[in-house]
Amino acid sequence: QVQLVESGGGLVQSGGSLRLSCVVSVSGLDYYGIGWFRQAPGKEREGVGCINKSDEKTYYATSVKGRFTISRDNAKSTVYLQMNDVRPEDTAIYYCAAGSDGLADYALCRDTRIYDYWGQGTQVTVSS
């Protein structure tokens, strides 16, 4: 069973930065594509972005492009979400998810159905 644990959430001021981590309990992280999602109160879960398993290409939602960066360290079985210039509308619970399918574009990235495993989430709150 693959387990994912997010960390790094917290309270940050608008314009600040935060780095989320997703530790994946698997021996071969490079076999999985990893997606980041978020869910604000009263809203549907939204795809933030993802990193592909083979070529490590990344794809992002328009709302975060240029501000957020996803990277992975396969040796540490960890995927990161660097959040810069955060805004109050970024406030949400952030989740990471792992799937063995290729993530060739954002349309696949944002599809929750292709992911096999999910973390429990970490809260990010951005104050104005």
Side-chain angles (χ1 to χ4, degrees), residues 45-64:
R45 192 166 294 192
E46 171 192 25
V48 174
C50 68
I51 185 164
N52 200 12
K53 60 179 181 177
S54 54
D55 55 15
E56 299 192 2
K57 285 186 176 179
T58 53
Y59 305 94
Y60 300 94
T62 301
S63 59
V64 306

Side-chain angles (χ1 to χ4, degrees), residues 54-114:
S54 54
D55 55 15
E56 299 192 2
K57 285 186 176 179
T58 53
Y59 305 94
Y60 300 94
T62 301
S63 59
V64 306
K65 196 173 293 183
R67 300 188 298 123
F68 291 9
T69 303
I70 298 172
S71 61
R72 62 194 297 162
D73 185 336
N74 291 332
K76 294 183 178 180
S77 291
T78 303
V79 178
Y80 303 98
L81 177 65
Q82 178 67 43
M83 306 168 60
N84 296 331
D85 188 25
V86 295
R87 304 166 182 171
E89 53 264 39
D90 294 322
T91 295
I93 299 175
Y94 283 71
Y95 302 88
C96 59
S100 56
D101 291 343
L103 302 172
D105 54 38
Y106 179 64
L108 285 173
C109 231
R110 62 184 293 187
D111 188 347
T112 58
R113 297 171 298 177
I114 69 169

Side-chain angles (χ1 to χ4, degrees), residues 1-19:
Q1 181 74 10
V2 177
Q3 293 184 325
L4 294 85
V5 178
E6 304 95 337
S7 63
L11 176 64
V12 60
Q13 288 189 333
S14 182
S17 297
L18 209 59
R19 189 176 79 161

